[in-house]
Amino acid sequence: MINSLKNISDSIAIITQNNMKDTINVIILNSDSVYLKLIPILIAILALFVTAYSIYISRKTLYSNIQHNKLSVQPLLNTNEDFTFSDQGIGIKLISCGLGPAIIENFQLLWNGTDITNNDNPIIIYDSLNIHNVQLGTLMKNGILGKDYIHWILRIPPAELPFNRNNIIRSNEILELIRKNLSYTIVYTSIYRDNKNEYTLKYPFIKK
């Protein structure tokens, strides 16, 4: 009888232990299922972060490329007083020596304070220089001066003032008269038409 009771007690203990193990396994399984549900959320958050960072890098790269491109086509106009008696004559000319073309925004040409931008009053130049063949060059708004382009603002052809000793002295007098009377202002920009990067060229170099 005693042995029978002992066997029953052992059976109950085994069943109890098995039930406890099953309970622990269920608890562990339930705990795992909560974390498993969080994994997709974490992956989605991580993917969103990676996407946002990729967009940031792309925009930063695009901005850097634009700035680089702007610098790679930066225009520059210079004034050259050419009195070397070349085959084109003597006078004042512009040289586009920047990396890219210059887009003209505004141009004003004056002679002794009188506006001659549209070449509508050249006789005052003829009288001042005592030369009757002076060619003026104007610049139209939105006009383009390409890289290395040369544009004469005021030119005296070789036939009007051929090269000789007397005319060398005469050309120096003409240059002084031009510096005294001629003035112009050019506002220009790059092909990007960025108002923040407008440039201004003035002549003469020294204020009167």
Side-chain angles (χ1 to χ4, degrees):
M1 181 69 178
I2 294 173
N3 291 333
S4 298
L5 291 173
K6 184 178 180 181
N7 291 334
I8 293 171
S9 176
D10 292 341
S11 298
I12 292 172
I14 292 170
I15 293 170
T16 302
Q17 290 177 358
N18 290 336
N19 287 337
M20 288 182 64
K21 288 181 179 180
D22 292 340
T23 302
I24 293 172
N25 289 335
V26 169
I27 293 173
I28 294 174
L29 180 61
N30 289 337
S31 299
D32 288 343
S33 65
V34 172
Y35 291 116
L36 287 175
K37 290 179 180 179
L38 290 176
I39 289 176
I41 298 175
L42 293 174
I43 292 174
I45 294 174
L46 181 61
L48 182 63
F49 173 78
V50 171
T51 301
Y53 184 74
S54 298
I55 293 174
Y56 167 76
I57 294 298
S58 298
R59 289 177 64 88
K60 186 176 181 180
T61 302
L62 178 62
Y63 177 78
S64 298
N65 289 338
I66 291 175
Q67 294 302 114
H68 172 75
N69 291 338
K70 285 183 178 181
L71 291 176
S72 67
V73 294
Q74 185 173 0
L76 178 63
L77 296 180
N78 277 336
T79 297
N80 178 245
E81 296 175 332
D82 188 350
F83 283 77
T84 59
F85 288 90
S86 67
D87 55 356
Q88 294 183 344
I90 61 175
I92 308 297
K93 61 185 179 183
L94 290 177
I95 301 177
S96 179
C97 52
L99 298 175
I103 312 298
I104 305 302
E105 293 291 334
N106 189 39
F107 174 63
Q108 186 179 38
L109 182 65
L110 303 176
W111 185 270
N112 195 24
T114 301
D115 194 328
I116 57 171
T117 304
N118 298 319
N119 298 337
D120 51 4
N121 195 11
I123 193 169
I124 61 173
I125 301 179
Y126 302 159
D127 292 343
S128 297
L129 300 181
N130 195 23
I131 292 179
H132 300 290
N133 186 9
V134 178
Q135 299 174 358
L136 298 177
T138 189
L139 294 170
M140 304 298 295
K141 182 176 176 60
N142 296 323
I144 301 176
L145 297 182
K147 186 176 181 297
D148 299 327
Y149 184 80
I150 297 176
H151 180 82
W152 288 89
I153 296 295
L154 184 151
R155 185 171 75 94
I156 301 172
E160 185 69 28
L161 201 69
F163 176 73
N164 58 52
R165 182 176 180 180
N166 292 332
N167 283 339
I168 291 176
I169 298 174
R170 176 87 171 97
S171 69
N172 291 330
E173 296 174 353
I174 291 173
L175 176 57
E176 291 305 315
L177 287 171
I178 289 175
R179 287 174 173 172
K180 179 181 178 181
N181 294 285
L182 183 71
S183 63
Y184 58 79
T185 301
I186 304 171
V187 179
Y188 62 99
T189 186
S190 71
I191 58 176
Y192 281 92
R193 309 301 288 264
D194 188 351
N195 292 333
K196 295 181 180 180
N197 289 321
E198 284 189 343
Y199 309 90
T200 302
L201 174 68
K202 293 186 177 183
Y203 181 87
F205 310 114
I206 302 175
K207 293 184 178 180
K208 299 173 183 179

